[in-house]
Amino acid sequence: MVRDHLALQGNQLGDPVKGAAAIVARVESGEGPLRQLLGSDAVAYAEAKIAALTADVEAGRGLALTTDHAAADAA
């Protein structure tokens, strides 16, 4: 496992130098999102997670909306 990890260095999708520069630039600017993704793989993973969560919310929406107190329904 260590050998595989060491072999990955320099061959991974993300560029650590570009990542570090992006982090520094965000910090220095004082702007940006609460959670900054770095790398196309991170964006793809986050988008897949959002899609799965959205599907889960939509699948349970009907039941979820029936579980409020009756007074809340009138609001």
Side-chain angles (χ1 to χ4, degrees):
M1 187 165 78
V2 171
R3 186 175 346 179
D4 291 342
H5 178 72
L6 292 174
L8 179 65
Q9 302 307 308
N11 296 310
Q12 69 271 27
L13 183 60
D15 182 335
V17 173
K18 288 180 180 179
I23 292 168
V24 170
R26 280 288 190 203
V27 170
E28 289 178 344
S29 75
E31 298 176 358
L34 178 61
R35 291 175 179 84
Q36 176 64 59
L37 300 174
L38 296 175
S40 58
D41 53 342
V43 171
Y45 175 78
E47 289 173 340
K49 184 68 174 177
I50 290 166
L53 183 56
T54 298
D56 197 39
V57 168
E58 292 305 318
R61 177 182 299 279
L63 179 60
L65 297 178
T66 67
T67 60
D68 289 347
H69 282 287
D73 290 339

